[in-house]
Amino acid sequence: MAKTSKPVPPSNGSVSRPPTAFEYGYDKSFRFLTFLAGLLIVVLLAYIFWKIGGQAAPAMREYGLSFLTTVEWNPNTNEYGILAEIWGTLYSSFLALIFGGGLGIAVAIFLTQGFLNARLAWVFRLIVEMLAAIPSVVFGLWGIYVLIPAIRPMASWLHDTLPFIPFFSTNLAGPGMFPAMIVLSIMILPTVAAISQDAFKAIPMKIQEAAYGMGTTKWEAIRKVIIPTASGGIFASLVLGFGRALGETMALAMLIGNSQQVSLSLFSPATTLASLLASTFPEAGANQIGPLMYAAVALLVITMAVNIIGTIIMSYTSRQTVT
């Protein structure tokens, strides 16, 4: 009968030892610094709200909630309302999220699921990431001189053929919602694509192999296994892309038309909160500062609400995926 060996006690050089006083202090210091960094972010956000809200308070008391439900912006008569800006901000961002978000997810699938060899995928990934480095004013100039002339014939045909559809009820005379939406889609594409790629890469290869072992095709595995497994990261990319679209300024100020109206038409000019602030602040009189700060508070609230709701939904979808 073989003899069982007795356990050998750890030597003095074993890594299984309690932390030293220095390591314990280092860990406590690191925890304190990370907590302090998070606290500073909260304090900074509260300071921004307090500073902007303090300057917007007189306008809030004077105009109340009617400021959010009217479209008039007339400094000569001191009549101010930002309903058109709120509509344009949400409408353009939502349209951009549909087109740019869908394209970004498709690009992420194309670059991570073996459709290209590693070197060629790296080149395409670099090209997509370079889109994020292009200044928004360059996108605006490209939209004015290239995009609008290119899409105007199609817009005219849609308006002449389908004028009874609200989306095509007006003609594209120049800057409008449609060119602004296209440029905004291109601008959020790198964000959605980059984060979605990380989500796809984080999926263990065994999950894909198990799907193939059950007889699925490549597209069935992507649609029924890969995308649901990475749904948390995909949704996070869409939330960040939507937040990016909400705050875009220069490109939209150049392309959207800056018109105080609420319309479903893709070809009519519109305006957004960010473009209102960018185009009005440099020449704003004393009577416009309060309403502009009120508009800035509204933009902050909308952006924060979108991120909070997105975080809640991501937490829920993550729990559903785990269970």
Side-chain angles (χ1 to χ4, degrees), residues 132-146:
I134 300 177
S136 60
V137 66
V138 175
F139 275 115
L141 291 173
W142 174 79
I144 291 174
Y145 292 106
V146 177

Side-chain angles (χ1 to χ4, degrees), residues 191-244:
T191 300
V192 176
I195 299 176
S196 297
Q197 286 180 71
D198 293 338
F200 289 132
K201 291 178 181 178
I203 300 175
M205 184 59 66
K206 292 182 179 179
I207 293 180
Q208 302 184 42
E209 293 174 350
Y212 295 139
M214 295 177 66
T216 62
T217 64
K218 190 177 187 67
W219 285 111
E220 286 176 334
I222 292 173
R223 182 168 56 89
K224 297 181 179 180
V225 178
I226 303 302
I227 293 179
T229 305
S231 59
I234 293 173
F235 194 83
S237 71
L238 295 177
V239 171
L240 290 176
F242 192 63
R244 171 77 171 83

